[in-house]
Amino acid sequence: MGAGFLATQLDKLMLRGKMSPADTDINDLPERTGAEIAAELGGRMLLRYVEHPDEVGRTHPTFVCPTPYSMDEVYQWLALPKPLSVRRWVVVLDPTGIDYVKGPKECSLGGGIEYLLPNGYESGAIASPGWAVEVR
C-alpha cells in the first residue's frame, strides 16, 4: 500500500456521507462557500497540481483536491488532462480565500477526490509561502 492510497482512503473516511459518486456531473453539485469547505475539511487546504510553478491564480473553472500525492501518484488518483505532462508543483490553496466551491466528488476514472472552483481562485487564496512548491 502506497502513501497516496492511504491518504485517499483517510480523506474518503473524513468526507464520508458528503462525497458524491464519480458519475455525478460536477455542475449538478450545489455551490458552497470556501468557508463551508474549510469547515468540512477541518481547516485543511485544497491542492492544485500544476506543470509550472508560476501559476498565481485562475479566472476559469479549476479542479482541486484535498489529498497530498507524490509526483508519481497524481495521475493514478486524479483524472488530469495532458497525462504526458509532469505535475511537479502544487499550489496550496486556503479555501477561506475562495468564493464558491462545488464538491466533493470521487474523480471519474481516478478514484481520488475532487472539488471544482467554478470561478477559479485569486492569488490571495494561495497559502504560505504564496507560490507553488515542488512535490516529489
Side-chain angles (χ1 to χ4, degrees):
M1 168 178 17
F5 174 83
L6 180 60
T8 301
Q9 299 315 306
L10 291 172
D11 282 350
K12 285 181 178 183
L13 283 173
M14 176 184 67
L15 295 169
R16 184 177 30 216
K18 299 174 184 172
M19 196 166 62
S20 296
D23 63 350
T24 306
D25 187 321
I26 195 92
N27 294 309
D28 291 339
L29 298 173
E31 284 188 350
R32 297 184 291 149
T33 67
E36 289 174 293
I37 300 302
E40 175 174 275
L41 294 174
R44 289 182 48 200
M45 302 291 140
L46 291 169
L47 306 172
R48 173 158 164 73
Y49 294 93
V50 296
E51 298 171 60
H52 304 288
D54 53 356
E55 184 172 295
V56 294
R58 291 170 58 91
T59 58
H60 52 282
T62 303
F63 284 93
V64 295
C65 78
T67 312
Y69 294 114
S70 70
M71 184 175 63
D72 295 331
E73 295 172 313
V74 168
Y75 285 100
Q76 177 183 350
W77 292 101
L78 305 176
L80 298 173
K82 299 191 282 183
L84 297 179
S85 300
V86 178
R87 308 285 176 122
R88 293 185 49 201
W89 308 91
V90 66
V91 179
V92 179
L93 300 170
D94 182 346
T96 62
I98 300 168
D99 53 1
Y100 295 104
V101 181
K102 290 185 173 213
K105 71 178 278 291
E106 188 170 11
C107 293
S108 299
L109 301 177
I113 301 165
E114 65 186 6
Y115 288 85
L116 176 67
L117 313 180
N119 303 323
Y121 67 93
E122 295 183 15
S123 61
I126 300 175
S128 181
W131 52 80
V133 293
E134 187 176 13
V135 293
R136 296 182 190 170

